[in-house]
Amino acid sequence: EGKQKKNSLIVLAIAFSLLAIPITAMQTQFLAIFKGFGMEAATAVALGALIGPSQVVARVTELSFAKKITPLFTAISSTFLMFLGLIALILSGYNYLVALLFVLLYGAGQGLSDIVRGTLPLYLFGNDGYGKTIGKLNLFRLIVTSMVPFGFAFVLENFGVKIATIGLISVTLIAVLLLLSIKNSVKGVKIEA
């Protein structure tokens, strides 16, 4: 069981680090991404302003069901929402409704991911050594976060917005699969709440 917890911690650290990539990329390059998909700056700003409200709606919705679902379910759902949002983004082109769908899905997923970073480690590993566990998880995530603005700008500049977005879709899908692997590995194992 100790080895399984260690493996789950490593997989979770990778998943959280991968999720930091699209979140940081959107925070630093939102206008450039939308411009690359044919949106005017004013439209991009208006759509970007809806990310915050969609985060709040997702968090309130999650609170309503918190007693019926696990943090692992929330983690998988939030990551999958971000994945679907990024799929909508790459399909948006000049279609404002599809771009709006991206903002709503992605914003909801990102809003839930902030909660998950605190609740999922507690759910999986218990409160014994919780601070140390969070520290380990955040170390790798913060290293990745520090590299994303330059790395993503480089990809955007040299390979274009579609390739850059496909990269974001790919890392988000890998994060979904990693979280699903954690779900499968903890089946039948008593998890501390």
Side-chain angles (χ1 to χ4, degrees):
E1 193 175 326
K3 185 179 178 184
Q4 185 176 11
K5 281 187 175 184
K6 185 178 179 183
N7 289 342
S8 293
L9 183 65
I10 291 168
V11 172
L12 189 60
I14 295 168
F16 281 0
S17 297
L18 290 175
L19 281 174
I21 296 171
I23 290 170
T24 307
M26 285 298 155
Q27 289 171 344
T28 57
Q29 297 290 340
F30 189 83
L31 288 175
I33 292 168
F34 266 66
K35 185 179 177 188
F37 282 110
M39 301 284 173
E40 301 87 14
T43 304
V45 169
L47 287 169
L50 295 174
I51 288 179
S54 64
Q55 290 175 342
V56 172
V57 169
R59 289 172 181 165
V60 169
T61 304
E62 194 269 343
L63 276 174
S64 305
F65 296 100
K67 291 184 180 179
K68 297 177 183 174
I69 58 176
T70 66
L72 190 51
F73 178 83
T74 303
I76 294 165
S77 301
S78 72
T79 308
F80 192 66
L81 285 171
M82 289 172 63
F83 170 74
L84 290 177
L86 290 165
I87 295 284
L89 175 64
I90 204 161
L91 298 175
S92 64
Y94 289 92
N95 189 322
Y96 298 118
L97 288 177
V98 180
L100 175 63
L101 181 62
F102 154 71
V103 167
L104 297 177
L105 290 170
Y106 175 84
Q110 183 184 340
L112 291 174
S113 75
D114 292 340
I115 294 170
V116 164
R117 280 202 318 267
T119 59
L120 185 55
L122 183 63
Y123 174 75
L124 290 174
F125 310 113
N127 57 9
D128 187 37
Y130 176 75
K132 189 175 181 182
T133 301
I134 291 292
K136 287 178 184 177
L137 291 170
N138 282 333
L139 171 67
F140 299 107
R141 186 182 62 80
L142 291 172
I143 290 169
V144 170
T145 300
S146 70
M147 296 185 293
V148 170
F150 172 77
F152 188 75
F154 178 84
V155 173
L156 204 55
E157 184 70 27
N158 291 286
F159 299 99
V161 70
K162 285 191 178 178
I163 296 294
T165 305
I166 288 170
L168 297 180
I169 290 168
S170 300
V171 297
T172 307
L173 178 59
I174 293 167
V176 170
L177 296 174
L178 289 172
L179 291 169
L180 285 170
S181 77
I182 292 172
K183 180 178 184 275
N184 292 332
S185 73
V186 298
K187 276 186 181 172
V189 176
K190 184 180 182 296
I191 300 172
E192 298 175 44

